[in-house]
Amino acid sequence: MAEIGMHRTRWIVDMKICCIGAGYVGGPTMAMIAKQCPEIQVHVVDLNESRIAAWNSSQLPVYEPGLDEVVREARDRNLFFSCKVDSAIAEADIIFISVNTPTKAFGQGAGRAANLEFVEKCARQIARVSKGHKIIVEKSTVPVRTAAAVRQILASEANNATFDVLSNPEFLAEGTAVADLLQPDRVLIGGDGASAVEKLADIYARWVPRERILTTNLWSSELSKLTANAFLAQRVSSINSISALCEATGADVDEVARAIGSDSRIGPKFLKASVGFGGSCFQKDILNLVYLCEHFGLPEVAHYWEQVVLMNQYQKSRFSRQIASSMNNTLSDKKIAIWGFAFKKDTNDTRETPAIDVCIDLIGERARLAIYDPQVDAKTIMHDLRKALAERGRQGELDWLVDHVQVVEDPYVAADQAQAVAVLTEWDQFRSIDPGRLSDRMVGPKLIFDGRRVIDADRMNRAGLSVYRIGQGFRWAHTASSGA
Ligand code: UDX
Ligand code: UDX
């Protein structure tokens, strides 16, 4: 892996950037480039008019700590959001493709392969509109060798325009996007054209130390993104598999995580046991990796990585089963409060959130749910649950959803008359819940199922609440008769 030369700092004047896709990745990434490089014009375009309107308003479509300030500083100075895709492409020197690449829902590779429809559409549009020379940057996570397909489309449809195609995967995590963009562990640029690679590297070098800007060939860069997400998800599935064993043996998963994480070869990060990983990337990218392995005739490698996803599914359903079995296997008409719906704290994103699976399981048991999340609105939650029921062929339960699932704006209100609380996102506010106030609201048996290990079991126990924590099992209330 080469490093870009340390001593060249090129000041890029009059450069124009276009980014197609104003999503969780495109929006924050471009805002950071615009903030750090005031002399570069950055134009973010999207087909979705309401999303663009939100980027131009005071209520950004993406909730990220610190993002408002970054956008405020650059917007209308050198950062612009619009739906004028053709003109933004025509004017740009560098075009980032940051559209979504969901798992294919139909055809060959359905349920596993990435749907590249939007990436290809962008390539065609770029080819049609472009003149002169342009650098095309794949920001979206794509299967290995997608750049070859993009190149082919550009070559076959372009009118005399020429292109360099680079891969520049984004490693930011939601909830910490601004910090990750400000101080990335590394920026990865894959490409064959040295001058194009250097141009892109020069932009990042405005705020990222040169030694953190890594360059590789195109295929290594594309594969590194899938591999990084697979390794991260694998750590979560590994510790989650051990959490089940901890509950069976009396070990505590946090103690195990601390003990193994102190080994510098293992390291302490990404060892938090949870109800399961979510988010738009982990499952999609692993399935994509699995599909690639199968495609290249490597079934053993495919099976190995598939286990990471299967373990995650097991962990989510294990959590729901724990709730049911702790309540006499009868949840019918019992009220359960759901605390947290986002796939992790500090984001309003609910894509692949474990909360969807757990809620759908509980609805299947005919539990009544009151859901609270500080950042996800009621419309999104109900839409996600309706969609999940439909995808599972369970439209017959839509009436139950409408009549017995509500979204509320306060965690204590959610717990009102509830027999149990399930904590599904690690929002900080759940760490400082008042046990007495909560206990007063709830009715017996007053159970808390902590899928994120944020609840202080001792304090809850003293207030008459029993707590199940993932990877630790039950801590019974001092007053509880059952198993104290
Ligand atoms: C996306 C990919 O899903 C991910 O694999 C990649 O790493 C980065 O880009 P994200 O930004 O989270 O991630 O996706 P999303 O929030 O769905 O944003 C994509 C945007 O592209 C949407 O706003 C969508 O309207 C827009 N889009 C999609 C277009 O403008 N044109 C299209 O043809 C398709
Ligand atoms: C991930 C990668 O971290 C990022 O580099 C990539 O660009 C996109 O995918 P993201 O999905 O935004 O980012 O969040 P991340 O912090 O990785 O968390 C993913 C899921 O794993 C969340 O549901 C989180 O709660 C869960 N998780 C993470 C755990 O359960 N335990 C952990 O120790 C860490």
Side-chain angles (χ1 to χ4, degrees):
M1 223 176 250
E3 276 163 19
I4 293 286
M6 296 271 294
H7 307 294
R8 271 168 296 145
T9 308
R10 212 159 287 158
W11 293 80
I12 314 128
V13 182
D14 290 339
M15 181 179 279
K16 287 192 172 148
I17 288 179
C18 160
C19 172
I20 311 177
Y24 282 88
V25 172
T29 309
M30 292 304 123
M32 183 58 73
I33 290 180
K35 173 188 155 61
Q36 301 290 357
C37 312
E39 75 282 21
I40 298 181
Q41 296 276 313
V42 181
H43 195 159
V44 189
V45 290
D46 201 295
L47 294 178
N48 184 331
E49 286 178 15
S50 61
R51 204 164 225 194
I52 288 298
W55 279 111
N56 281 319
S57 76
S58 56
Q59 188 74 38
L60 301 183
V62 168
Y63 171 71
E64 279 293 341
L67 183 61
D68 284 16
E69 291 76 30
V70 176
V71 171
R72 241 198 323 269
E73 183 183 333
R75 195 171 55 193
D76 298 331
R77 178 189 70 186
N78 64 325
L79 174 66
F80 305 94
F81 295 93
S82 87
C83 296
K84 296 175 190 154
V85 184
D86 277 2
S87 59
I89 293 174
E91 287 169 9
D93 306 291
I94 300 186
I95 301 164
F96 287 81
I97 300 180
S98 194
V99 295
N100 40 333
T101 48
T103 304
K104 263 183 101 171
F106 48 83
Q108 202 175 349
R112 286 140 119 71
N115 180 350
L116 294 178
E117 180 189 345
F118 303 133
V119 172
E120 291 193 3
K121 222 177 77 203
C122 288
R124 256 179 238 111
Q125 194 168 7
I126 292 168
R128 187 167 47 76
V129 174
S130 296
K131 294 196 173 59
H133 184 78
K134 296 197 190 290
I135 298 173
I136 312 304
V137 185
E138 280 176 358
K139 196 55 146 168
S140 301
T141 305
V142 291
V144 186
R145 301 203 72 85
T146 300
V150 170
R151 250 192 210 144
Q152 202 184 7
I153 293 172
L154 293 171
S156 61
E157 305 208 12
N159 328 310
N160 300 323
T162 53
F163 302 96
D164 276 297
V165 179
L166 304 180
S167 157
N168 172 220
E170 185 48 61
F171 295 99
L172 68 80
E174 287 175 33
T176 53
V178 172
D180 294 345
L181 287 165
L182 210 50
Q183 290 183 305
D185 286 350
R186 80 308 208 178
V187 167
L188 180 58
I189 303 174
D192 310 329
S195 115
V197 170
E198 274 182 38
K199 272 200 178 115
L200 185 56
D202 280 346
I203 294 174
Y204 286 109
R206 293 294 301 279
W207 77 97
V208 178
R210 285 274 180 183
E211 64 275 16
R212 291 201 186 175
I213 304 177
L214 309 178
T215 61
T216 65
N217 76 31
L218 270 169
W219 324 126
S220 304
S221 172
E222 289 178 339
L223 183 57
S224 296
K225 172 66 202 240
L226 293 182
T227 308
N229 274 350
F231 269 60
L232 290 169
Q234 182 200 41
R235 276 175 77 95
V236 179
S237 273
S238 295
I239 199 71
N240 280 346
S241 74
I242 297 301
S243 75
L245 195 55
C246 285
E247 290 167 36
T249 56
D252 179 334
V253 76
D254 274 354
E255 293 180 355
V256 175
R258 198 168 66 240
I260 64 167
S262 316
D263 184 326
S264 60
R265 293 168 302 175
I266 296 174
K269 293 186 179 163
F270 257 72
L271 288 178
K272 281 200 204 81
S274 66
V275 56
F277 61 72
S280 70
C281 292
F282 279 2
Q283 175 165 312
K284 166 175 77 87
D285 291 351
I286 294 173
L287 292 176
N288 192 340
L289 190 66
V290 167
Y291 183 73
L292 272 175
C293 295
E294 285 169 351
H295 174 80
F296 287 108
L298 302 167
E300 290 81 0
V301 186
H303 287 152
Y304 176 76
W305 286 109
E306 194 167 20
Q307 280 304 315
V308 175
V309 172
L310 295 179
M311 180 52 62
N312 196 48
Q313 282 161 358
Y314 165 76
Q315 185 76 347
K316 290 183 280 188
S317 63
R318 191 170 80 79
F319 187 79
S320 311
R321 284 200 307 273
Q322 179 69 55
I323 296 177
S325 68
S326 310
M327 298 172 77
N328 303 322
N329 277 317
T330 312
L331 299 182
S332 183
D333 231 21
K334 293 179 178 170
K335 180 175 172 187
I336 299 179
I338 303 292
W339 283 0
F341 199 82
F343 81 98
K344 60 186 278 195
K345 73 170 181 177
D346 291 341
T347 177
N348 59 347
D349 194 349
T350 61
R351 289 177 292 180
E352 304 294 339
T353 177
I356 294 178
D357 297 79
V358 172
C359 288
I360 292 294
D361 286 348
L362 299 179
I363 289 170
E365 295 288 339
R366 298 295 176 270
R368 290 185 289 125
L369 305 181
I371 305 172
Y372 163 75
D373 188 287
Q375 286 297 335
V376 185
D377 58 31
K379 204 169 131 214
T380 305
I381 293 175
M382 294 309 268
H383 168 267
D384 286 349
L385 294 176
R386 259 196 308 276
K387 184 161 163 264
L389 283 175
E391 280 167 359
R392 289 160 175 76
R394 286 168 51 182
Q395 285 89 343
E397 292 164 65
L398 285 171
D399 284 348
W400 185 269
L401 177 66
V402 173
D403 295 339
H404 299 289
V405 177
Q406 53 172 168
V407 178
V408 300
E409 293 195 347
D410 179 278
Y412 297 100
V413 172
D416 201 25
Q417 300 299 306
Q419 300 195 2
V421 173
V423 183
L424 303 183
T425 311
E426 72 281 24
W427 289 104
D428 288 337
Q429 68 185 114
F430 300 148
R431 293 181 189 275
S432 49
I433 283 289
D434 178 341
R437 203 174 147 200
L438 178 61
S439 183
D440 288 348
R441 292 268 187 164
M442 293 178 69
V443 295
K446 300 192 185 184
L447 305 177
I448 300 182
F449 296 91
D450 183 1
R452 295 291 187 167
R453 301 183 61 99
V454 289
I455 300 294
D456 183 334
D458 284 343
R459 287 179 63 229
M460 294 295 161
N461 288 168
R462 284 197 292 276
L465 298 148
S466 298
V467 181
Y468 161 87
R469 301 177 86 205
I470 206 106
Q472 194 182 40
F474 263 103
R475 292 289 175 272
W476 296 101
H478 299 324
T479 54
S481 54
S482 44

